[in-house]
Amino acid sequence: MRRHKRKEELLHSQVEHMRSSVEAAVDCSERLAHSTLAERADWLRAVAEALDAADAELVPLADEETGLGEARLRGELLRTTDQLRFFADVVTEGSYLEVVIDNANPHLVPPTPDLRRYLRAIGPVAVYAASNFPFAFSVLGGDTASAIAAGCPVVVKAHPGHPRLSRRTYELARDALESAGAPPATLGLVEGFEAGVGLVQASGINAAAFTGSLAGGRALHDLAVARPAPIPFYGELGSLNPVVVTAAADQERGEALAQGLAQSFQLGHGQFCTKPGLVFVPTGSQLEKAINGFVSGDEGRLLTASITHQFRNGISALKAQAGIEVVAGGTDDSSAPTVLAIDIHDAINHPELLRTEVFGPVTLLVRYGSDDDLAAALDAVGGSLTATLHCTEDERLTGLVARLEKIAGRVLFAGWPTGVAVTWAQHHGGPWPATTSPFTSVGATSIRRFLRPVVYQDAPQTYLPAALLDANPLGIWRRVNGVWSAPDGRSGRE
Amino acid sequence: MRRHKRKEELLHSQVEHMRSSVEAAVDCSERLAHSTLAERADWLRAVAEALDAADAELVPLADEETGLGEARLRGELLRTTDQLRFFADVVTEGSYLEVVIDNANPHLVPPTPDLRRYLRAIGPVAVYAASNFPFAFSVLGGDTASAIAAGCPVVVKAHPGHPRLSRRTYELARDALESAGAPPATLGLVEGFEAGVGLVQASGINAAAFTGSLAGGRALHDLAVARPAPIPFYGELGSLNPVVVTAAADQERGEALAQGLAQSFQLGHGQFCTKPGLVFVPTGSQLEKAINGFVSGDEGRLLTASITHQFRNGISALKAQAGIEVVAGGTDDSSAPTVLAIDIHDAINHPELLRTEVFGPVTLLVRYGSDDDLAAALDAVGGSLTATLHCTEDERLTGLVARLEKIAGRVLFAGWPTGVAVTWAQHHGGPWPATTSPFTSVGATSIRRFLRPVVYQDAPQTYLPAALLDANPLGIWRRVNGVWSAPDGRSGRE
């Protein structure tokens, strides 16, 4: 009884804390929306510096809670602070504002007014942290970095898989933000399932970003769009990341491909949203023959008890399917890496197999004989974050590449999908169920999720945001009267 | 009994026709996605030419069905064909592809791959036509033009307010598309309520665009997001379009403002989504005293029986509210233009008044005394397509303008919101309930709604889309290694 009461009190205080965090975010949201590019760049760099300085504390803490290993976690922390600095650059460069200026044209019928468009902050954002990247997709991950870069206060829902790391990261970031002059409510942290469910429904929240399971993401998505005022929900959910190996590629370098695949699907114990989970190989492939030699027999440690449970159940369910063979691993009640295989006709007859993601170190080889079978199976896969082709230089597979582009957000050649570089061009998204929106959650353009356009019509210079002034004091690229115009005012048509 | 059966048969055939239209759209969608920019520009221009050539037939037909008058409809048809040609220009210019290229950097830790991002067509799009713009927001309106420009086949749900015009416009466009070499299923037309409800749920449809009532839009939105695979729903729904007149502006030009407001709210019999429906005026304003002289006593004709019914009910409901006074019109059971007024404290005490849109020729003056009252009332208005300020040159109202930007997608100075120019910079959207997404439904950037990013990683030139080739054969602006690069390859840093 007492325990029950304590639990209720905790839950109540978590929900209360969520409410006050959202309120504080709302209160500072206009201050953030109208902060300067230089201010926000400073804030992001200050946070990066604070996290880097605390690596000796943060990395062991992360390892304790996740078991992902110090080397991987050290790299991930660097990636995270690089990402914060990258968004400082993106903000300063200013193209993300998408400024378009059309001067008035009194000679048209009807005459057109002076119109000046830019993107402004959407307002308070909810970010749901993921378990599998305790730095890069958690409290100070890409969603938070891009939202603050956009000028939005962020309320993060911590992942229960690494609560102490989440709190410590948050404290460091909050102090760094405050020292750098940001409003204290620029970043908030909430914990607990109920607080998370309430967060996406809180009327002060204007957008939500989520990285995690299809089931969890769908549930939050449904709450976000059912609100009296629906909000954009940016979910990065499930992905099979199909890989196609041509017969010629298998013949040329089947063993090397087996090694590459094995490394990729076992990376981080297979707990990457970009893990290659479905690999189309020619029947009788060298790859299949060689892969067992590259698969670790170690049970390893999965991130949470729930992931362990779901992984083991997932493997059992797959093994029970007609036509599935175990190529490597696959021991009952084990979390060891596993390779399964199936003939493509059995897969086409049970297309749900081509859409079943098991999170963790497992991949399914699909043995194909004809290009028609391969095409039919790819059409059944549905949306994915990535699609990969391994072929030889002299092959001309334009139709196949078009098919991969149709189902994926990133099309890779001769590589493996598990690395996601944070750059200007990166796109990390794809047709449902990979993501719930035509946006990316990694790279420069992920900032667009937290912005909305506003156009000023016939505004005196006095009232224009800096980005839209004739003098271009921010020194940014703008489209003026349909033509790209350099920061120094040179027209692109010169 | 026979009539009931005939109705059922009609309904069945309408739904069947919808299904086959979607199927045909799916079948040609990859052909469209991979069509060239020049092809699609030709298609759009061919449709524009066909509609212009048929103006003597289309304009009287539109007037018969809508009563909007030949002059207005002739202008609207020109606007519509100009819009088709504008999107041909947008496509040809190619910046809409948002190309970003990052060359591989082997010196980074970890090294980054070659990444090339562009936007590709999202696939078949459903467009729901509006009643109030039988050309510009109907079968060949902005949604259809921007979707075809993006490379998406379109299935239009015709508005029942102008069925014959819809069919004729469709026939002309279809023939023009076919003659210009477009796949026949580039454009489809469906009719009937059930077909419309089924269309947004059809698995082949990848996005939907809608212009119309909040209730209708919300219902379709809810279906779109509840699908097994949710799709983006771009709804342009409701808007009050608040206008603020300062005491100084009223004193300087109150009568001219009354005339401008009267023209704007009566334009097209008040049936514009940008109609100024809520006008904050100083207590005892010249504007209020003068406006009666500019309001027509004509009943006019509203677009449909349902709009007439809702308008009359809406006026009655407003008149029944405590504190509301009739300034002009307001006769029971009439569709004549009406001006109502209320003191701001009565409005703040009944904030639902500040969020009630009555579609048709009515506007509500809200008399304010203090800036604090004005600010509180504006905060209660919620999202709108536009917000307008009428002030004098020497006023400095930065805080007020920030407040208007917070609630609207377009902020106007010294103008009226009822004209929406189709240009590069235009933005026609705003926070809920103005729109359901952070996108525009008018102007060049509306094309972004029907595109999704794809990034190619380490792709040989052979497999790259033309937009991403080193040689830049499309001659478009691209961001290369973080720097804007002109079509001739000049870097923006030179």
Side-chain angles (χ1 to χ4, degrees):
Chain A
M1 191 62 196
R2 178 170 289 176
R3 176 183 286 181
H4 181 71
K5 200 171 166 201
R6 274 215 306 273
K7 203 183 152 190
E8 258 192 6
E9 277 168 9
L10 174 68
L11 195 156
H12 183 73
S13 81
Q14 285 177 333
V15 170
E16 278 308 302
H17 176 64
M18 179 276 290
R19 288 207 182 115
S20 61
S21 302
V22 172
E23 217 168 284
V26 169
D27 287 345
C28 77
S29 67
E30 284 300 295
R31 158 79 179 93
L32 254 75
H34 297 286
S35 58
T36 67
L37 305 187
E39 277 182 305
R40 296 205 296 283
D42 283 347
W43 302 345
L44 293 165
R45 291 193 183 109
V47 173
E49 206 169 308
L51 299 187
D52 277 342
D55 66 339
E57 177 192 358
L58 294 175
V59 169
L61 186 50
D63 192 35
E64 253 179 64
E65 292 192 307
T66 66
L68 287 170
E70 290 214 6
R72 141 78 198 268
L73 288 164
R74 197 169 302 279
E76 189 188 326
L77 177 55
L78 272 176
R79 174 200 169 88
T80 306
T81 54
D82 278 353
Q83 183 164 257
L84 288 159
R85 292 189 182 94
F86 175 65
F87 276 109
D89 294 343
V90 169
V91 165
T92 314
E93 197 269 349
S95 290
Y96 86 91
L97 292 163
E98 292 186 9
V99 173
V100 187
I101 296 176
D102 294 325
N103 292 124
N105 189 339
H107 305 298
L108 287 180
V109 184
T112 54
D114 183 273
L115 290 167
R116 296 169 187 239
R117 169 197 191 259
Y118 82 135
L119 302 182
R120 62 154 270 154
I122 203 169
V125 168
V127 168
Y128 291 82
S131 62
N132 57 341
F133 283 89
F135 293 118
F137 284 82
S138 191
V139 180
L140 264 297
D143 289 335
T144 301
S146 55
I148 292 179
C152 301
V154 172
V155 180
V156 177
K157 157 66 173 62
H159 196 282
H162 48 274
R164 286 183 297 135
L165 177 68
S166 300
R167 284 173 215 140
R168 189 63 190 127
T169 314
Y170 167 67
E171 284 166 7
L172 289 163
R174 190 195 52 191
D175 292 351
L177 285 166
E178 211 176 326
S179 300
T186 298
L187 187 65
L189 184 74
V190 303
E191 294 184 65
F193 181 83
E194 285 75 10
V197 167
L199 183 61
V200 76
Q201 300 179 87
S203 68
I205 293 296
N206 286 1
F210 170 93
T211 307
S213 73
L214 180 53
R218 178 80 208 215
L220 289 171
H221 165 271
D222 290 351
L223 292 174
V225 297
R227 293 162 47 120
I231 57 171
F233 182 82
Y234 304 114
E236 194 253 88
L237 309 181
S239 192
L240 266 296
N241 302 298
V243 175
V244 175
V245 176
T246 67
D250 182 69
Q251 203 166 7
E252 185 181 274
R253 53 184 198 279
E255 194 176 330
L257 289 170
Q259 185 174 15
L261 171 61
Q263 279 175 354
S264 183
F265 93 86
Q266 294 178 97
L267 204 65
H269 305 299
Q271 301 164 111
F272 279 43
C273 50
T274 49
K275 179 201 72 178
L278 202 58
V279 185
F280 294 91
V281 295
T283 305
S285 66
Q286 301 301 315
L287 185 154
E288 182 174 342
K289 283 176 196 133
I291 196 160
N292 198 13
F294 300 108
V295 173
S296 156
D298 292 346
E299 272 231 30
R301 168 181 156 191
L302 290 163
L303 283 161
T304 65
S306 152
I307 289 175
T308 308
H309 181 74
Q310 283 171 35
F311 177 76
R312 291 175 181 179
N313 279 1
I315 299 285
S316 300
L318 282 174
K319 278 164 61 186
Q321 288 281 346
I324 293 253
E325 291 168 48
V326 175
V327 177
T331 317
D332 282 340
D333 291 327
S334 157
S335 308
T338 294
V339 179
L340 305 171
I342 191 169
D343 290 340
I344 198 162
H345 294 116
D346 289 325
I348 291 171
N349 290 335
H350 299 281
E352 67 283 2
L353 274 177
L354 298 168
R355 291 189 282 265
T356 305
E357 183 184 3
V358 178
F359 191 75
V362 56
T363 192
L364 175 63
L365 308 180
V366 183
R367 307 171 184 126
Y368 70 94
S370 81
D371 292 346
D372 286 349
D373 288 343
L374 177 61
L378 282 173
D379 284 347
V381 170
S384 236
L385 290 167
T386 72
T388 300
L389 177 60
H390 288 281
C391 60
T392 58
E393 265 188 33
D394 51 340
E395 289 185 283
R396 290 290 169 268
L397 306 165
T398 314
L400 178 57
V401 172
R403 195 156 245 120
L404 298 180
E405 186 191 275
K406 193 181 160 192
I407 60 170
R410 181 162 54 114
V411 182
L412 294 89
F413 292 77
W416 300 99
T418 27
V420 185
V422 181
T423 72
W424 292 92
Q426 187 58 280
H427 178 67
H428 190 59
W432 174 269
T435 39
T436 56
S437 83
F439 286 108
T440 179
S441 65
V442 177
T445 52
S446 65
I447 195 173
R448 180 62 179 85
R449 296 174 297 166
F450 307 117
L451 297 161
R452 66 175 177 85
V454 171
V455 67
Y456 278 77
Q457 178 169 327
D458 290 334
Q461 293 282 310
T462 338
Y463 291 117
L464 285 172
L468 304 181
L469 288 168
D470 283 342
N472 194 9
L474 301 182
I476 57 179
W477 282 81
R478 312 192 292 188
R479 174 182 285 278
V480 181
N481 296 321
V483 179
W484 283 102
S485 173
D488 59 8
R490 264 187 313 133
S491 150
R493 276 204 189 129
E494 283 173 345
Chain B
M1 190 65 195
R2 176 171 290 179
R3 177 185 284 182
H4 181 71
K5 200 171 164 201
R6 272 215 308 272
K7 202 184 153 191
E8 258 191 9
E9 276 169 10
L10 173 67
L11 194 157
H12 182 73
S13 82
Q14 285 177 334
V15 171
E16 278 308 303
H17 176 64
M18 179 275 291
R19 290 207 180 113
S20 61
S21 302
V22 172
E23 218 169 282
V26 169
D27 287 346
C28 76
S29 67
E30 285 300 296
R31 158 80 180 93
L32 253 74
H34 297 286
S35 58
T36 66
L37 305 187
E39 276 182 305
R40 297 206 297 284
D42 283 349
W43 302 346
L44 292 165
R45 290 194 183 108
V47 173
E49 204 170 310
L51 298 189
D52 276 341
D55 66 339
E57 177 192 357
L58 294 176
V59 170
L61 186 50
D63 192 36
E64 251 179 66
E65 292 193 306
T66 66
L68 287 170
E70 290 215 7
R72 140 78 197 267
L73 288 164
R74 195 169 302 280
E76 191 189 326
L77 178 55
L78 272 176
R79 176 200 168 89
T80 306
T81 56
D82 277 353
Q83 181 164 256
L84 288 158
R85 292 189 181 94
F86 176 65
F87 276 108
D89 294 343
V90 169
V91 165
T92 314
E93 196 269 350
S95 291
Y96 86 91
L97 292 163
E98 290 186 11
V99 173
V100 187
I101 296 177
D102 294 325
N103 292 123
N105 189 339
H107 306 298
L108 287 179
V109 184
T112 53
D114 183 275
L115 290 167
R116 295 168 188 241
R117 168 196 190 260
Y118 83 134
L119 302 182
R120 63 154 270 154
I122 203 169
V125 169
V127 168
Y128 292 82
S131 62
N132 57 341
F133 283 88
F135 293 117
F137 285 82
S138 190
V139 181
L140 264 296
D143 289 334
T144 302
S146 55
I148 292 179
C152 301
V154 172
V155 180
V156 176
K157 157 69 173 62
H159 195 281
H162 48 274
R164 286 184 296 136
L165 177 67
S166 301
R167 285 174 214 138
R168 189 63 191 129
T169 314
Y170 168 66
E171 284 167 7
L172 289 162
R174 191 195 52 193
D175 291 351
L177 285 166
E178 211 175 330
S179 301
T186 298
L187 188 65
L189 184 74
V190 303
E191 293 183 69
F193 181 84
E194 285 75 11
V197 167
L199 181 62
V200 76
Q201 300 179 88
S203 67
I205 293 295
N206 286 1
F210 171 91
T211 306
S213 73
L214 181 54
R218 178 81 208 213
L220 289 170
H221 165 273
D222 289 352
L223 292 173
V225 296
R227 295 162 45 119
I231 57 170
F233 181 82
Y234 303 114
E236 194 254 88
L237 309 181
S239 193
L240 266 295
N241 303 298
V243 175
V244 175
V245 176
T246 67
D250 183 69
Q251 202 167 10
E252 186 181 276
R253 54 184 197 276
E255 192 176 332
L257 289 170
Q259 184 173 16
L261 170 61
Q263 278 174 354
S264 184
F265 94 86
Q266 294 179 97
L267 203 65
H269 303 300
Q271 300 164 110
F272 278 43
C273 49
T274 48
K275 178 200 75 179
L278 201 57
V279 185
F280 294 91
V281 294
T283 306
S285 66
Q286 302 300 316
L287 186 154
E288 183 175 340
K289 284 177 197 134
I291 196 160
N292 197 13
F294 301 108
V295 174
S296 155
D298 291 347
E299 272 232 32
R301 170 180 155 190
L302 290 163
L303 283 159
T304 65
S306 153
I307 288 174
T308 308
H309 181 73
Q310 282 171 37
F311 177 76
R312 292 175 181 179
N313 279 359
I315 298 284
S316 299
L318 282 175
K319 277 164 60 187
Q321 288 281 346
I324 293 252
E325 291 169 48
V326 176
V327 177
T331 317
D332 282 339
D333 292 325
S334 157
S335 309
T338 294
V339 179
L340 305 172
I342 190 170
D343 289 340
I344 197 160
H345 295 115
D346 289 325
I348 291 172
N349 290 336
H350 299 279
E352 68 283 0
L353 273 178
L354 298 168
R355 292 190 282 265
T356 306
E357 184 183 1
V358 178
F359 191 75
V362 57
T363 192
L364 175 62
L365 308 181
V366 183
R367 306 172 187 127
Y368 71 94
S370 81
D371 292 347
D372 287 349
D373 287 344
L374 177 61
L378 282 172
D379 284 348
V381 171
S384 235
L385 291 166
T386 72
T388 301
L389 177 60
H390 288 280
C391 59
T392 57
E393 264 185 38
D394 50 340
E395 289 185 283
R396 289 290 169 267
L397 306 165
T398 315
L400 178 58
V401 171
R403 193 156 249 122
L404 298 180
E405 187 191 274
K406 193 181 161 194
I407 60 171
R410 181 162 52 114
V411 181
L412 294 89
F413 292 77
W416 299 99
T418 26
V420 185
V422 180
T423 72
W424 292 92
Q426 188 57 281
H427 178 66
H428 190 60
W432 174 272
T435 40
T436 57
S437 82
F439 286 108
T440 179
S441 64
V442 177
T445 53
S446 65
I447 194 174
R448 179 63 180 85
R449 297 175 296 168
F450 307 117
L451 298 161
R452 67 174 176 86
V454 171
V455 66
Y456 279 77
Q457 179 170 326
D458 291 334
Q461 294 282 310
T462 338
Y463 291 118
L464 285 172
L468 303 182
L469 288 168
D470 283 341
N472 193 8
L474 301 182
I476 57 179
W477 281 80
R478 312 192 291 189
R479 175 183 285 277
V480 181
N481 297 319
V483 178
W484 283 103
S485 172
D488 59 10
R490 262 186 315 133
S491 150
R493 275 205 190 128
E494 285 172 341

